[in-house]
Short mmCIF file of all heavy atoms in Angstrom, two decimals:
data_model
loop_
_atom_site.label_atom_id
_atom_site.label_comp_id
_atom_site.label_asym_id
_atom_site.label_seq_id
_atom_site.Cartn_x
_atom_site.Cartn_y
_atom_site.Cartn_z
N MET B 1 -2.08 -14.77 27.97
CA MET B 1 -2.73 -15.04 29.26
C MET B 1 -2.93 -13.77 30.08
O MET B 1 -3.91 -13.64 30.78
CB MET B 1 -1.91 -16.08 30.02
CG MET B 1 -2.46 -16.37 31.40
SD MET B 1 -4.12 -17.01 31.49
CE MET B 1 -3.89 -18.70 31.02
N ILE B 2 -1.98 -12.83 29.97
CA ILE B 2 -2.10 -11.62 30.80
C ILE B 2 -3.39 -10.84 30.53
O ILE B 2 -4.01 -10.32 31.45
CB ILE B 2 -0.85 -10.71 30.69
CG1 ILE B 2 -0.83 -9.65 31.79
CG2 ILE B 2 -0.74 -10.09 29.32
CD1 ILE B 2 0.47 -8.92 31.93
N LYS B 3 -3.81 -10.84 29.27
CA LYS B 3 -5.02 -10.11 28.93
C LYS B 3 -6.22 -10.73 29.65
O LYS B 3 -7.09 -9.99 30.16
CB LYS B 3 -5.23 -10.06 27.43
CG LYS B 3 -5.54 -11.38 26.78
CD LYS B 3 -5.72 -11.21 25.28
CE LYS B 3 -6.16 -12.53 24.66
NZ LYS B 3 -6.46 -12.38 23.26
N THR B 4 -6.28 -12.04 29.73
CA THR B 4 -7.37 -12.72 30.39
C THR B 4 -7.34 -12.45 31.89
O THR B 4 -8.36 -12.19 32.50
CB THR B 4 -7.29 -14.22 30.12
OG1 THR B 4 -7.29 -14.45 28.70
CG2 THR B 4 -8.45 -14.97 30.76
N ARG B 5 -6.14 -12.54 32.47
CA ARG B 5 -6.02 -12.33 33.91
C ARG B 5 -6.40 -10.90 34.32
O ARG B 5 -7.04 -10.71 35.35
CB ARG B 5 -4.60 -12.69 34.37
CG ARG B 5 -4.27 -14.16 34.25
CD ARG B 5 -4.78 -14.96 35.43
NE ARG B 5 -4.80 -16.36 35.25
CZ ARG B 5 -3.84 -17.21 35.54
NH1 ARG B 5 -2.71 -16.76 36.06
NH2 ARG B 5 -3.97 -18.52 35.35
N ILE B 6 -6.00 -9.93 33.56
CA ILE B 6 -6.33 -8.54 33.89
C ILE B 6 -7.83 -8.37 33.90
O ILE B 6 -8.42 -7.84 34.87
CB ILE B 6 -5.68 -7.54 32.93
CG1 ILE B 6 -4.16 -7.54 33.12
CG2 ILE B 6 -6.22 -6.14 33.14
CD1 ILE B 6 -3.38 -6.76 32.07
N LYS B 7 -8.49 -8.86 32.89
CA LYS B 7 -9.94 -8.74 32.81
C LYS B 7 -10.63 -9.49 33.94
O LYS B 7 -11.57 -8.98 34.57
CB LYS B 7 -10.45 -9.24 31.46
CG LYS B 7 -11.92 -9.04 31.27
CD LYS B 7 -12.39 -9.37 29.88
CE LYS B 7 -13.88 -9.10 29.73
NZ LYS B 7 -14.34 -9.36 28.36
N GLU B 8 -10.21 -10.72 34.21
CA GLU B 8 -10.79 -11.50 35.29
C GLU B 8 -10.63 -10.83 36.62
O GLU B 8 -11.62 -10.72 37.40
CB GLU B 8 -10.15 -12.90 35.38
CG GLU B 8 -10.53 -13.84 34.26
CD GLU B 8 -9.74 -15.14 34.27
OE1 GLU B 8 -8.78 -15.27 35.06
OE2 GLU B 8 -10.07 -16.01 33.44
N LEU B 9 -9.45 -10.33 36.92
CA LEU B 9 -9.22 -9.67 38.21
C LEU B 9 -10.02 -8.37 38.31
O LEU B 9 -10.60 -8.09 39.38
CB LEU B 9 -7.71 -9.37 38.37
CG LEU B 9 -6.83 -10.58 38.59
CD1 LEU B 9 -5.37 -10.22 38.37
CD2 LEU B 9 -7.05 -11.19 39.97
N ARG B 10 -10.12 -7.66 37.23
CA ARG B 10 -10.89 -6.39 37.25
C ARG B 10 -12.36 -6.71 37.49
O ARG B 10 -13.01 -6.07 38.35
CB ARG B 10 -10.72 -5.67 35.89
CG ARG B 10 -11.57 -4.40 35.77
CD ARG B 10 -11.42 -3.73 34.47
NE ARG B 10 -11.82 -4.53 33.29
CZ ARG B 10 -13.07 -4.74 32.95
NH1 ARG B 10 -14.08 -4.25 33.65
NH2 ARG B 10 -13.37 -5.46 31.87
N GLU B 11 -12.90 -7.71 36.80
CA GLU B 11 -14.29 -8.04 36.97
C GLU B 11 -14.60 -8.62 38.36
O GLU B 11 -15.67 -8.35 38.91
CB GLU B 11 -14.75 -9.02 35.89
CG GLU B 11 -14.80 -8.35 34.51
CD GLU B 11 -15.16 -9.28 33.36
OE1 GLU B 11 -15.08 -10.51 33.54
OE2 GLU B 11 -15.53 -8.76 32.30
N GLU B 12 -13.67 -9.39 38.90
CA GLU B 12 -13.84 -9.91 40.27
C GLU B 12 -13.98 -8.80 41.28
O GLU B 12 -14.71 -8.97 42.28
CB GLU B 12 -12.68 -10.84 40.63
CG GLU B 12 -12.70 -12.19 40.01
CD GLU B 12 -11.45 -13.02 40.30
OE1 GLU B 12 -10.64 -12.63 41.19
OE2 GLU B 12 -11.28 -14.05 39.63
N LYS B 13 -13.31 -7.70 41.06
CA LYS B 13 -13.40 -6.55 41.95
C LYS B 13 -14.59 -5.64 41.62
O LYS B 13 -14.82 -4.64 42.30
CB LYS B 13 -12.12 -5.72 41.94
CG LYS B 13 -11.01 -6.33 42.75
CD LYS B 13 -9.99 -5.25 43.06
CE LYS B 13 -8.98 -5.78 44.06
NZ LYS B 13 -8.98 -5.02 45.28
N GLY B 14 -15.30 -5.97 40.55
CA GLY B 14 -16.42 -5.16 40.16
C GLY B 14 -16.06 -3.80 39.61
O GLY B 14 -16.82 -2.84 39.76
N LEU B 15 -14.88 -3.71 38.98
CA LEU B 15 -14.40 -2.47 38.46
C LEU B 15 -14.66 -2.32 36.96
O LEU B 15 -14.55 -3.32 36.23
CB LEU B 15 -12.90 -2.34 38.67
CG LEU B 15 -12.36 -2.36 40.11
CD1 LEU B 15 -10.87 -2.50 40.10
CD2 LEU B 15 -12.81 -1.13 40.85
N SER B 16 -14.96 -1.12 36.54
CA SER B 16 -14.99 -0.84 35.11
C SER B 16 -13.58 -0.61 34.64
O SER B 16 -12.66 -0.39 35.45
CB SER B 16 -15.83 0.42 34.83
OG SER B 16 -15.18 1.58 35.41
N GLN B 17 -13.38 -0.62 33.35
CA GLN B 17 -12.07 -0.30 32.81
C GLN B 17 -11.67 1.11 33.20
O GLN B 17 -10.51 1.38 33.51
CB GLN B 17 -12.04 -0.46 31.29
CG GLN B 17 -12.13 -1.88 30.82
CD GLN B 17 -12.13 -1.98 29.30
OE1 GLN B 17 -12.32 -1.00 28.58
NE2 GLN B 17 -11.89 -3.17 28.80
N THR B 18 -12.62 2.01 33.20
CA THR B 18 -12.35 3.42 33.54
C THR B 18 -11.91 3.54 34.99
O THR B 18 -10.93 4.27 35.27
CB THR B 18 -13.63 4.28 33.29
OG1 THR B 18 -14.00 4.13 31.94
CG2 THR B 18 -13.37 5.74 33.61
N LYS B 19 -12.55 2.85 35.90
CA LYS B 19 -12.18 2.91 37.31
C LYS B 19 -10.80 2.31 37.53
O LYS B 19 -9.98 2.89 38.27
CB LYS B 19 -13.25 2.17 38.16
CG LYS B 19 -12.95 2.11 39.62
CD LYS B 19 -12.99 3.51 40.25
CE LYS B 19 -12.80 3.37 41.77
NZ LYS B 19 -12.58 4.64 42.41
N LEU B 20 -10.52 1.13 36.91
CA LEU B 20 -9.20 0.53 37.07
C LEU B 20 -8.13 1.44 36.52
O LEU B 20 -7.08 1.67 37.15
CB LEU B 20 -9.13 -0.82 36.37
CG LEU B 20 -7.77 -1.51 36.43
CD1 LEU B 20 -7.31 -1.75 37.86
CD2 LEU B 20 -7.80 -2.81 35.63
N ALA B 21 -8.40 2.03 35.39
CA ALA B 21 -7.42 2.97 34.78
C ALA B 21 -7.13 4.14 35.73
O ALA B 21 -5.97 4.50 35.93
CB ALA B 21 -7.96 3.47 33.44
N ALA B 22 -8.17 4.70 36.33
CA ALA B 22 -7.98 5.82 37.25
C ALA B 22 -7.16 5.39 38.46
O ALA B 22 -6.27 6.12 38.93
CB ALA B 22 -9.32 6.36 37.68
N GLU B 23 -7.42 4.19 38.96
CA GLU B 23 -6.70 3.69 40.14
C GLU B 23 -5.20 3.51 39.85
O GLU B 23 -4.35 3.65 40.75
CB GLU B 23 -7.27 2.32 40.58
CG GLU B 23 -8.68 2.39 41.12
CD GLU B 23 -8.75 2.98 42.52
OE1 GLU B 23 -7.80 2.81 43.29
OE2 GLU B 23 -9.77 3.63 42.83
N LEU B 24 -4.87 3.18 38.61
CA LEU B 24 -3.49 2.89 38.23
C LEU B 24 -2.79 4.05 37.52
O LEU B 24 -1.63 3.94 37.14
CB LEU B 24 -3.43 1.64 37.34
CG LEU B 24 -3.93 0.36 37.98
CD1 LEU B 24 -3.89 -0.78 36.97
CD2 LEU B 24 -3.15 -0.01 39.22
N GLY B 25 -3.52 5.13 37.31
CA GLY B 25 -2.93 6.28 36.62
C GLY B 25 -2.79 6.06 35.10
O GLY B 25 -1.86 6.60 34.48
N LEU B 26 -3.71 5.29 34.54
CA LEU B 26 -3.70 5.01 33.09
C LEU B 26 -4.95 5.61 32.51
O LEU B 26 -5.80 6.18 33.21
CB LEU B 26 -3.70 3.50 32.87
CG LEU B 26 -2.59 2.69 33.54
CD1 LEU B 26 -2.88 1.19 33.40
CD2 LEU B 26 -1.26 3.04 32.90
N ASN B 27 -5.12 5.44 31.19
CA ASN B 27 -6.43 5.83 30.63
C ASN B 27 -7.20 4.57 30.23
O ASN B 27 -6.61 3.48 30.12
CB ASN B 27 -6.28 6.83 29.45
CG ASN B 27 -5.61 6.25 28.25
OD1 ASN B 27 -5.96 5.18 27.78
ND2 ASN B 27 -4.63 6.96 27.72
N GLN B 28 -8.49 4.72 30.08
CA GLN B 28 -9.36 3.58 29.80
C GLN B 28 -8.97 2.84 28.54
O GLN B 28 -9.02 1.62 28.50
CB GLN B 28 -10.84 4.06 29.74
CG GLN B 28 -11.82 2.94 29.50
CD GLN B 28 -12.04 2.65 28.02
OE1 GLN B 28 -11.93 3.53 27.18
NE2 GLN B 28 -12.33 1.39 27.71
N ARG B 29 -8.56 3.56 27.54
CA ARG B 29 -8.18 2.91 26.28
C ARG B 29 -7.00 1.96 26.47
O ARG B 29 -6.93 0.90 25.89
CB ARG B 29 -7.85 3.95 25.23
CG ARG B 29 -7.32 3.30 23.93
CD ARG B 29 -7.13 4.30 22.85
NE ARG B 29 -8.35 4.28 22.07
CZ ARG B 29 -8.71 5.18 21.19
NH1 ARG B 29 -7.96 6.21 20.96
NH2 ARG B 29 -9.80 5.06 20.50
N THR B 30 -6.05 2.37 27.32
CA THR B 30 -4.89 1.50 27.62
C THR B 30 -5.35 0.22 28.28
O THR B 30 -4.90 -0.88 27.86
CB THR B 30 -3.89 2.25 28.52
OG1 THR B 30 -3.48 3.44 27.84
CG2 THR B 30 -2.69 1.39 28.83
N VAL B 31 -6.23 0.30 29.27
CA VAL B 31 -6.73 -0.92 29.92
C VAL B 31 -7.47 -1.77 28.92
O VAL B 31 -7.30 -2.99 28.87
CB VAL B 31 -7.64 -0.54 31.12
CG1 VAL B 31 -8.32 -1.80 31.70
CG2 VAL B 31 -6.85 0.15 32.21
N SER B 32 -8.28 -1.16 28.06
CA SER B 32 -8.99 -1.89 27.04
C SER B 32 -8.01 -2.64 26.11
O SER B 32 -8.18 -3.82 25.78
CB SER B 32 -9.88 -0.97 26.21
OG SER B 32 -10.47 -1.66 25.14
N ASN B 33 -6.94 -1.95 25.73
CA ASN B 33 -5.93 -2.55 24.85
C ASN B 33 -5.21 -3.71 25.55
O ASN B 33 -4.89 -4.72 24.89
CB ASN B 33 -4.92 -1.52 24.36
CG ASN B 33 -5.50 -0.57 23.35
OD1 ASN B 33 -6.48 -0.87 22.67
ND2 ASN B 33 -4.90 0.58 23.22
N TYR B 34 -4.97 -3.60 26.85
CA TYR B 34 -4.38 -4.72 27.60
C TYR B 34 -5.31 -5.91 27.55
O TYR B 34 -4.89 -7.05 27.36
CB TYR B 34 -4.16 -4.35 29.07
CG TYR B 34 -3.11 -3.33 29.35
CD1 TYR B 34 -3.07 -2.66 30.56
CD2 TYR B 34 -2.10 -3.03 28.44
CE1 TYR B 34 -2.12 -1.73 30.86
CE2 TYR B 34 -1.12 -2.09 28.71
CZ TYR B 34 -1.14 -1.42 29.94
OH TYR B 34 -0.17 -0.50 30.22
N GLU B 35 -6.62 -5.67 27.73
CA GLU B 35 -7.59 -6.79 27.78
C GLU B 35 -7.84 -7.42 26.45
O GLU B 35 -8.26 -8.57 26.39
CB GLU B 35 -8.88 -6.28 28.44
CG GLU B 35 -8.71 -5.99 29.90
CD GLU B 35 -10.00 -5.60 30.60
OE1 GLU B 35 -11.07 -5.61 29.97
OE2 GLU B 35 -9.93 -5.27 31.81
N THR B 36 -7.65 -6.71 25.38
CA THR B 36 -7.81 -7.29 24.05
C THR B 36 -6.53 -7.92 23.51
O THR B 36 -6.54 -8.63 22.52
CB THR B 36 -8.32 -6.26 23.03
OG1 THR B 36 -7.32 -5.23 22.88
CG2 THR B 36 -9.66 -5.71 23.42
N GLY B 37 -5.41 -7.62 24.19
CA GLY B 37 -4.14 -8.15 23.78
C GLY B 37 -3.45 -7.33 22.70
O GLY B 37 -2.39 -7.74 22.19
N SER B 38 -4.00 -6.17 22.36
CA SER B 38 -3.35 -5.35 21.34
C SER B 38 -2.17 -4.53 21.92
O SER B 38 -1.39 -3.96 21.17
CB SER B 38 -4.35 -4.43 20.66
OG SER B 38 -4.94 -3.55 21.59
N LEU B 39 -2.06 -4.54 23.26
CA LEU B 39 -0.95 -3.87 23.94
C LEU B 39 -0.63 -4.67 25.20
O LEU B 39 -1.54 -5.17 25.85
CB LEU B 39 -1.39 -2.45 24.32
CG LEU B 39 -0.38 -1.56 25.04
CD1 LEU B 39 0.79 -1.23 24.12
CD2 LEU B 39 -1.02 -0.29 25.51
N GLU B 40 0.63 -4.81 25.49
CA GLU B 40 1.04 -5.52 26.70
C GLU B 40 1.60 -4.48 27.68
O GLU B 40 2.33 -3.57 27.27
CB GLU B 40 2.05 -6.60 26.41
CG GLU B 40 1.43 -7.76 25.67
CD GLU B 40 2.23 -9.02 25.75
OE1 GLU B 40 3.30 -9.03 26.37
OE2 GLU B 40 1.78 -10.02 25.18
N PRO B 41 1.28 -4.62 28.97
CA PRO B 41 1.81 -3.68 29.94
C PRO B 41 3.32 -3.79 30.12
O PRO B 41 3.86 -4.89 29.99
CB PRO B 41 1.06 -4.05 31.22
CG PRO B 41 0.56 -5.43 31.03
CD PRO B 41 0.40 -5.63 29.55
N ASN B 42 3.95 -2.66 30.40
CA ASN B 42 5.36 -2.67 30.67
C ASN B 42 5.62 -3.19 32.10
O ASN B 42 4.68 -3.43 32.85
CB ASN B 42 6.02 -1.31 30.44
CG ASN B 42 5.45 -0.25 31.34
OD1 ASN B 42 5.00 -0.48 32.45
ND2 ASN B 42 5.47 1.00 30.89
N ILE B 43 6.87 -3.36 32.44
CA ILE B 43 7.23 -3.89 33.75
C ILE B 43 6.64 -3.05 34.91
O ILE B 43 6.12 -3.64 35.87
CB ILE B 43 8.76 -4.01 33.91
CG1 ILE B 43 9.33 -4.98 32.85
CG2 ILE B 43 9.17 -4.42 35.31
CD1 ILE B 43 8.85 -6.39 33.00
N GLN B 44 6.72 -1.76 34.80
CA GLN B 44 6.19 -0.91 35.88
C GLN B 44 4.68 -1.12 36.03
O GLN B 44 4.19 -1.14 37.17
CB GLN B 44 6.51 0.58 35.62
CG GLN B 44 7.96 0.92 35.68
CD GLN B 44 8.72 0.66 34.36
OE1 GLN B 44 8.15 0.25 33.36
NE2 GLN B 44 10.02 0.91 34.36
N THR B 45 3.98 -1.24 34.94
CA THR B 45 2.52 -1.43 35.04
C THR B 45 2.19 -2.83 35.55
O THR B 45 1.25 -2.99 36.31
CB THR B 45 1.89 -1.18 33.65
OG1 THR B 45 2.21 0.14 33.22
CG2 THR B 45 0.37 -1.27 33.72
N ILE B 46 2.97 -3.81 35.17
CA ILE B 46 2.76 -5.16 35.70
C ILE B 46 2.93 -5.12 37.21
O ILE B 46 2.09 -5.70 37.95
CB ILE B 46 3.72 -6.18 35.05
CG1 ILE B 46 3.33 -6.42 33.59
CG2 ILE B 46 3.73 -7.51 35.83
CD1 ILE B 46 4.29 -7.25 32.80
N LYS B 47 3.91 -4.42 37.70
CA LYS B 47 4.13 -4.30 39.13
C LYS B 47 2.94 -3.63 39.80
O LYS B 47 2.45 -4.08 40.84
CB LYS B 47 5.42 -3.51 39.42
CG LYS B 47 5.74 -3.43 40.88
CD LYS B 47 7.05 -2.72 41.13
CE LYS B 47 7.30 -2.60 42.61
NZ LYS B 47 8.45 -1.79 42.92
N LYS B 48 2.44 -2.55 39.22
CA LYS B 48 1.26 -1.85 39.76
C LYS B 48 0.06 -2.77 39.79
O LYS B 48 -0.70 -2.78 40.78
CB LYS B 48 0.92 -0.62 38.88
CG LYS B 48 1.80 0.58 39.07
CD LYS B 48 1.27 1.71 38.20
CE LYS B 48 2.18 2.89 38.19
NZ LYS B 48 1.66 3.98 37.36
N LEU B 49 -0.15 -3.51 38.72
CA LEU B 49 -1.30 -4.45 38.66
C LEU B 49 -1.17 -5.50 39.75
O LEU B 49 -2.16 -5.82 40.41
CB LEU B 49 -1.39 -5.09 37.28
CG LEU B 49 -1.87 -4.22 36.13
CD1 LEU B 49 -1.50 -4.81 34.80
CD2 LEU B 49 -3.37 -4.01 36.25
N CYS B 50 0.01 -6.05 39.92
CA CYS B 50 0.25 -7.08 40.92
C CYS B 50 -0.03 -6.55 42.33
O CYS B 50 -0.72 -7.20 43.15
CB CYS B 50 1.64 -7.64 40.85
SG CYS B 50 1.94 -8.61 39.37
N GLU B 51 0.48 -5.36 42.61
CA GLU B 51 0.26 -4.75 43.92
C GLU B 51 -1.19 -4.41 44.14
O GLU B 51 -1.75 -4.67 45.20
CB GLU B 51 1.11 -3.49 44.05
CG GLU B 51 2.60 -3.78 44.17
CD GLU B 51 3.49 -2.55 44.14
OE1 GLU B 51 2.97 -1.42 43.89
OE2 GLU B 51 4.71 -2.72 44.31
N TYR B 52 -1.85 -3.89 43.13
CA TYR B 52 -3.25 -3.51 43.24
C TYR B 52 -4.15 -4.71 43.50
O TYR B 52 -5.04 -4.68 44.35
CB TYR B 52 -3.72 -2.74 41.99
CG TYR B 52 -5.12 -2.25 42.10
CD1 TYR B 52 -5.39 -1.11 42.79
CD2 TYR B 52 -6.16 -2.94 41.48
CE1 TYR B 52 -6.70 -0.64 42.93
CE2 TYR B 52 -7.46 -2.48 41.61
CZ TYR B 52 -7.73 -1.35 42.34
OH TYR B 52 -9.03 -0.90 42.45
N PHE B 53 -3.92 -5.77 42.74
CA PHE B 53 -4.78 -6.94 42.86
C PHE B 53 -4.28 -7.96 43.89
O PHE B 53 -4.97 -8.94 44.20
CB PHE B 53 -4.93 -7.63 41.51
CG PHE B 53 -5.77 -6.88 40.53
CD1 PHE B 53 -5.24 -6.39 39.35
CD2 PHE B 53 -7.11 -6.63 40.80
CE1 PHE B 53 -6.03 -5.68 38.45
CE2 PHE B 53 -7.91 -5.93 39.92
CZ PHE B 53 -7.39 -5.45 38.73
N GLY B 54 -3.07 -7.76 44.41
CA GLY B 54 -2.55 -8.68 45.42
C GLY B 54 -2.19 -10.05 44.84
O GLY B 54 -2.43 -11.08 45.48
N VAL B 55 -1.62 -10.04 43.64
CA VAL B 55 -1.22 -11.29 43.00
C VAL B 55 0.24 -11.19 42.59
O VAL B 55 0.82 -10.13 42.54
CB VAL B 55 -2.10 -11.61 41.74
CG1 VAL B 55 -3.55 -11.80 42.12
CG2 VAL B 55 -1.95 -10.55 40.67
N SER B 56 0.83 -12.36 42.32
CA SER B 56 2.23 -12.38 41.86
C SER B 56 2.30 -12.10 40.35
O SER B 56 1.31 -12.26 39.63
CB SER B 56 2.86 -13.73 42.15
OG SER B 56 2.29 -14.73 41.30
N ALA B 57 3.48 -11.69 39.92
CA ALA B 57 3.69 -11.48 38.47
C ALA B 57 3.55 -12.82 37.73
O ALA B 57 3.02 -12.86 36.63
CB ALA B 57 5.05 -10.88 38.23
N ASP B 58 3.98 -13.92 38.37
CA ASP B 58 3.83 -15.23 37.74
C ASP B 58 2.36 -15.52 37.49
O ASP B 58 2.02 -16.07 36.42
CB ASP B 58 4.45 -16.34 38.61
CG ASP B 58 5.96 -16.35 38.53
OD1 ASP B 58 6.53 -15.70 37.63
OD2 ASP B 58 6.57 -17.07 39.36
N TYR B 59 1.52 -15.22 38.45
CA TYR B 59 0.07 -15.44 38.26
C TYR B 59 -0.46 -14.56 37.14
O TYR B 59 -1.14 -15.01 36.23
CB TYR B 59 -0.71 -15.16 39.56
CG TYR B 59 -2.18 -15.29 39.32
CD1 TYR B 59 -2.78 -16.53 39.25
CD2 TYR B 59 -2.98 -14.17 39.13
CE1 TYR B 59 -4.15 -16.66 39.00
CE2 TYR B 59 -4.33 -14.28 38.88
CZ TYR B 59 -4.90 -15.52 38.80
OH TYR B 59 -6.26 -15.65 38.55
N LEU B 60 -0.12 -13.27 37.18
CA LEU B 60 -0.63 -12.35 36.18
C LEU B 60 -0.21 -12.75 34.78
O LEU B 60 -0.97 -12.65 33.83
CB LEU B 60 -0.12 -10.92 36.49
CG LEU B 60 -0.80 -9.79 35.75
CD1 LEU B 60 -2.29 -9.69 36.08
CD2 LEU B 60 -0.12 -8.50 36.04
N LEU B 61 1.03 -13.28 34.66
CA LEU B 61 1.55 -13.70 33.36
C LEU B 61 1.08 -15.09 32.94
O LEU B 61 1.42 -15.56 31.87
CB LEU B 61 3.06 -13.62 33.35
CG LEU B 61 3.62 -12.21 33.56
CD1 LEU B 61 5.15 -12.29 33.81
CD2 LEU B 61 3.30 -11.30 32.39
N GLY B 62 0.36 -15.78 33.83
CA GLY B 62 -0.14 -17.10 33.50
C GLY B 62 0.85 -18.21 33.75
O GLY B 62 0.66 -19.34 33.24
N LEU B 63 1.86 -17.94 34.54
CA LEU B 63 2.90 -18.97 34.79
C LEU B 63 2.54 -19.85 36.00
O LEU B 63 3.15 -20.91 36.19
CB LEU B 63 4.24 -18.31 35.03
CG LEU B 63 4.74 -17.47 33.86
CD1 LEU B 63 6.02 -16.73 34.24
CD2 LEU B 63 4.96 -18.32 32.64
N GLU B 64 1.59 -19.43 36.81
CA GLU B 64 1.14 -20.22 37.95
C GLU B 64 -0.33 -19.91 38.23
O GLU B 64 -0.85 -18.90 37.81
CB GLU B 64 1.95 -19.94 39.17
CG GLU B 64 1.74 -18.57 39.78
CD GLU B 64 2.55 -18.35 41.07
OE1 GLU B 64 3.64 -18.89 41.22
OE2 GLU B 64 2.06 -17.59 41.90
N GLU B 65 -0.96 -20.84 38.90
CA GLU B 65 -2.34 -20.65 39.32
C GLU B 65 -2.37 -19.95 40.66
O GLU B 65 -1.43 -20.02 41.43
CB GLU B 65 -3.05 -22.00 39.44
CG GLU B 65 -3.24 -22.69 38.07
CD GLU B 65 -4.05 -21.86 37.05
OE1 GLU B 65 -5.12 -21.33 37.44
OE2 GLU B 65 -3.62 -21.76 35.92
N PHE B 66 -3.45 -19.28 40.96
CA PHE B 66 -3.58 -18.53 42.19
C PHE B 66 -3.67 -19.38 43.41
O PHE B 66 -4.04 -20.43 43.54
CB PHE B 66 -4.80 -17.64 42.10
CG PHE B 66 -4.92 -16.61 43.17
CD1 PHE B 66 -3.90 -15.71 43.37
CD2 PHE B 66 -6.01 -16.54 43.98
CE1 PHE B 66 -4.01 -14.74 44.36
CE2 PHE B 66 -6.13 -15.59 44.95
CZ PHE B 66 -5.11 -14.68 45.15
#
């Protein structure tokens, strides 16, 4: 679920993978891997994503609806 939520939140803000990566101090390939599910973000990155998008970790992980 996290891969879907990251992509949805990114697209809702009108961000490219490159722009989101720059905002979070990551590279574009990492964001792409998160969105395809080939890599899962670590706890620190989950926290950054939650703070950046203004959502809870439960929402990002698919445990609750927004």
Side-chain angles (χ1 to χ4, degrees):
M1 178 58 78
I2 193 168
K3 67 181 186 175
T4 304
R5 292 278 165 91
I6 292 171
K7 184 173 183 177
E8 287 172 354
L9 290 165
R10 177 181 61 77
E11 290 177 344
E12 284 174 12
K13 281 200 172 241
L15 299 171
S16 66
Q17 290 179 345
T18 303
K19 178 67 175 169
L20 177 59
E23 293 285 329
L24 299 177
L26 305 170
N27 67 49
Q28 180 273 330
R29 175 175 265 166
T30 301
V31 173
S32 176
N33 287 339
Y34 292 161
E35 291 184 3
T36 62
S38 61
L39 181 66
E40 291 199 358
N42 62 28
I43 297 298
Q44 292 85 2
T45 303
I46 289 172
K47 184 177 177 186
K48 284 183 187 180
L49 287 162
C50 291
E51 290 173 354
Y52 183 79
F53 289 117
V55 298
S56 69
D58 284 348
Y59 175 78
L60 193 64
L61 297 169
L63 300 174
E64 69 178 31
E65 293 300 314
F66 191 57

